[in-house]
Amino acid sequence: MSNPLQKAAEILKLKKEHLQILSVPQRVAQVNFPVKMDSGEVKIFSGYRVQHNNARGPYKGGIRYHQSCDLEEVSDLAFWMSMKCAVVNIPYGGGKGGVVVNPKELSAKELQRLTRAYTRAIADVIGPFKDVPAPDVYTGPREMAWIFDEYSKIVGKKTPAVVTGKPLAIGGSLGRDIATALGGVYVLEQIIKNLKWRDKKLSVAIQGFGNAGSNAAKLLAERGFIIIAVADSKSAIIADDPEAGLNIKALLKFKQKTGSVVNFPATKEISQKELVLAPADILIPAALGGLITPDDAKEIKAKMVLELANGPLKEGAEEILIKRDVLVVPDILANAGGVTVSYFEWLQNVTKKKWSEQRVFEELKKTMDKAAKEVWQISRKHKTDIRTAAYVSAVGRIAKAIRIK
Ligand code: NAD
C-alpha cells in the first residue's frame, strides 16, 4: 500500500467497492477536431475531457494547453480535482481537460478557432450542472470567454456558469486571478502557526513565475517573506543578497517588459536544479508536474515544500523528503484556492449576484483555514504525513456521497 488513495482507504477502512470506484474515471472523452490555420491549411488537434467522479456535485477542473499533454496526465489531474474539491468541501466532483498543442506556436486567431473547435467537440459532456471547466496551464480568461461564447451559441442561451475563470466583464469573479496563490498563502500561514515557526523571516524559492508562482511571490513578499530565487521556463535567478531577497514588484515589471526573469539587476542566473536546491526555508513548485526528482529530494535544503503546482514531485521524491523531515504540503490542499474561488464565481453566476472582492477573500480564507486545520488534525490523529491526511479528509467525504444502486 503506497499511493495516498490506498493509504487513506486503509485508515478509513474504506469499502472495497468505493476504492474501486475512485480508482478509475467515470468517463473519458477523447476528441480529434480540425482547426483552420492562418495559412489556410487545416490541422487536426487532439484533446481530452476526463470526468473522474461526480458523487459530490458537477465535475470541475481546468483545461490545459500543452504539447506533452496526454490522457494519463489529464486523468491524474481529474482524479486530483475530485480530491481537491472534497478537501475544501465545495460541492463539486473532479474533471480535467487538455489539448495537445504548443500554444506559443499559434496566433491569437488560431487559438480562438482551436478553443471554439474543442468546445464544440466536448459540448455534449460539459454544462453548468454537469461539468464546469476552468483555466489551467497556458489557458486563461481569454480562452474561458471563447468557451462561454461558443457553448452559449450551441445551447441557444447565455450560459456563463459553464466555465469559471472568465473575464470580470462577462461574469468572472473579483479575486479569481490571485485565488490559487492567496489560498496557498492562507494554508501556509495555518501550517506555520501549527509548527510555531514564526521566529524569523522565512525565505522562499519559487519554481514557475506564471499565475500561481508570480502571485504567490507578490503576496508572500507583502507579508514579509523573503523571496530569494525564482524560475520560469527559460531561466532561474537568485538574489545576490539573500538577506534582502528579490524586489518582487520590480521583478514583475521587469518580466512583463522583457518576457523573462533573467538579467534582473542584483541577481545571478542559476540552473533549474540550483533553484530547487536553493537555501530557502520554503520551496514552492508552481510550474508543471513531475519537475522535482528523487535525486533533488535527497539534496533539497528547504524545510517545507508547498505544492502550488499539481503533482510537482516525481514518484519516489516524497518518501525521501518525509524521511529527511521535510514537510510536504500537498497540491490538493495547497492549490485549492483557485477552484474555491471558481466555485464562488459559479455561485455568483447561477444566483445572478455579484460579490465584493472583500467577500471573496473572506470566504476564501474561511474555507482554506478550515480545510488546513482539519487536515492538520487528521495528520496528528493518525500520525501520518499531510498528503495522506488530506486524502483521508477527501476520500471520507466522497465515500459518504457515493450511492451504489
Ligand atoms: P502559468 O502558465 O500561468 O505559469 C506556468 C509557469 O511555469 C510559467 O512561468 C512558466 O514559464 C513556468 N515553467 C514552465 N516550465 C517550467 C520549467 N521546466 N521550470 C521552471 N518553470 C517552468 O500556469 P499556472 O496557472 O501558474 O499553473 C502553474 C501550476 O499551478 C500548474 O501545475 C497548475 O496545474 C497549478 N495550478 C494552477 C491553478 C491556477 O488557478 N492557475 C490552480 C491550481 C493549480
Side-chain angles (χ1 to χ4, degrees):
M1 288 248 165
S2 62
N3 79 43
L5 172 61
Q6 286 172 329
K7 281 193 204 162
E10 208 172 59
I11 291 171
L12 288 162
K13 299 190 175 52
L14 196 70
K15 282 188 193 155
K16 193 172 150 225
E17 58 263 35
H18 286 170
L19 180 58
Q20 284 171 330
I21 288 169
L22 292 177
S23 299
V24 284
Q26 289 175 326
R27 173 151 61 175
V28 174
Q30 186 162 358
V31 293
N32 299 303
F33 52 88
V35 179
K36 199 176 232 169
M37 309 308 282
D38 292 344
S39 64
E41 183 199 354
V42 172
K43 275 195 187 165
I44 305 292
F45 287 87
S46 300
Y48 311 96
R49 186 73 193 169
V50 177
Q51 298 176 329
H52 174 261
N53 189 278
N54 65 352
R56 300 183 66 259
Y59 304 103
K60 183 89 191 83
I63 292 170
R64 169 172 295 203
Y65 286 175
H66 203 271
Q67 62 274 25
S68 66
C69 162
D70 61 23
L71 186 55
E72 193 187 338
E73 179 190 54
V74 180
S75 302
D76 285 349
L77 289 160
F79 166 77
W80 290 329
M81 284 308 299
S82 294
M83 299 300 137
K84 201 177 292 185
C85 294
V87 171
V88 287
N89 208 6
I90 55 175
Y92 284 139
K96 201 81 182 189
V99 176
V100 188
V101 59
N102 180 353
K104 291 178 183 169
E105 288 174 357
L106 270 64
S107 69
K109 282 188 175 152
E110 288 169 336
L111 276 174
Q112 177 165 177
R113 289 194 290 271
L114 175 131
T115 305
R116 288 180 183 277
Y118 173 64
T119 306
R120 289 192 295 274
I122 61 164
D124 281 351
V125 299
I126 62 171
F129 297 97
K130 222 194 248 183
D131 182 350
V132 186
D136 190 62
V137 175
Y138 295 130
T139 61
R142 181 182 66 168
E143 285 74 16
M144 299 307 112
W146 293 331
I147 296 174
F148 163 30
D149 188 57
E150 193 64 28
Y151 183 84
S152 297
K153 277 189 205 158
I154 293 166
V155 298
K157 66 172 179 209
K158 272 220 174 303
T159 314
V162 69
V163 277
T164 58
K166 296 178 293 294
L168 209 50
I170 56 165
S173 177
L174 288 163
R176 176 62 183 88
D177 46 349
I178 66 161
T180 300
L182 185 58
V185 170
Y186 289 148
V187 169
L188 179 65
E189 287 174 338
Q190 277 299 325
I191 304 270
I192 288 173
K193 225 189 259 173
N194 290 322
L195 292 169
K196 305 188 174 65
W197 260 13
R198 202 70 208 178
D199 52 345
K200 70 170 186 93
K201 284 206 161 190
L202 295 165
S203 57
V204 183
I206 304 179
Q207 178 190 49
F209 208 60
N211 174 288
S214 69
N215 282 310
K218 188 166 163 271
L219 292 164
L220 288 170
E222 283 166 7
R223 285 163 168 76
F225 290 79
I226 300 166
I227 318 300
I228 63 161
V230 300
D232 61 19
S233 61
K234 295 187 197 110
S235 49
I237 53 166
I238 191 160
D240 287 340
D241 177 1
E243 304 265 296
L246 302 165
N247 178 339
I248 296 298
K249 260 194 186 159
L251 178 60
L252 285 166
K253 278 194 195 140
F254 182 86
K255 160 120 189 176
Q256 210 174 23
K257 220 167 93 188
T258 66
S260 162
V261 295
V262 76
N263 292 328
F264 183 62
T267 63
K268 183 172 84 160
E269 191 172 2
I270 53 174
S271 67
Q272 296 286 353
K273 187 169 175 90
E274 284 170 313
L275 179 283
V276 173
L277 307 185
D281 298 306
I282 301 161
L283 172 64
I284 303 187
L288 297 178
L291 291 182
I292 299 176
T293 65
D295 272 350
D296 295 333
K298 286 179 198 151
E299 294 178 66
I300 281 176
K301 309 212 177 36
K303 294 180 283 182
M304 186 198 294
V305 176
L306 181 80
E307 293 187 336
L308 279 192
N310 283 311
L313 301 179
K314 258 211 167 122
E315 213 179 317
E318 184 164 19
E319 280 161 70
I320 298 169
L321 290 173
I322 290 172
K323 267 190 204 136
R324 294 186 54 226
D325 262 341
V326 178
L327 192 88
V328 179
V329 185
D331 45 11
I332 61 165
L333 173 64
N335 70 30
V339 73
T340 301
V341 174
S342 271
Y343 167 57
F344 298 159
E345 177 179 334
W346 179 88
L347 265 184
Q348 293 171 70
N349 294 156
V350 295
T351 58
K352 297 191 168 52
K353 286 196 174 126
K354 271 272 172 209
W355 293 12
S356 67
E357 191 171 65
Q358 190 191 346
R359 174 160 180 207
V360 170
F361 292 159
E362 278 168 11
E363 297 281 343
L364 176 64
K365 183 163 166 48
K366 255 195 256 167
T367 306
M368 301 309 294
D369 284 358
K370 186 164 183 286
K373 279 183 197 158
E374 284 168 354
V375 168
W376 185 266
Q377 279 161 7
I378 294 172
S379 86
R380 297 305 97 168
K381 182 174 166 199
H382 294 288
K383 299 190 173 39
T384 65
D385 57 277
I386 311 287
R387 189 183 311 275
T388 304
Y391 275 77
V392 169
S393 170
V395 172
R397 281 191 180 125
I398 301 172
K400 275 196 195 127
I402 290 175
R403 292 280 170 273
I404 302 170
K405 284 162 196 118

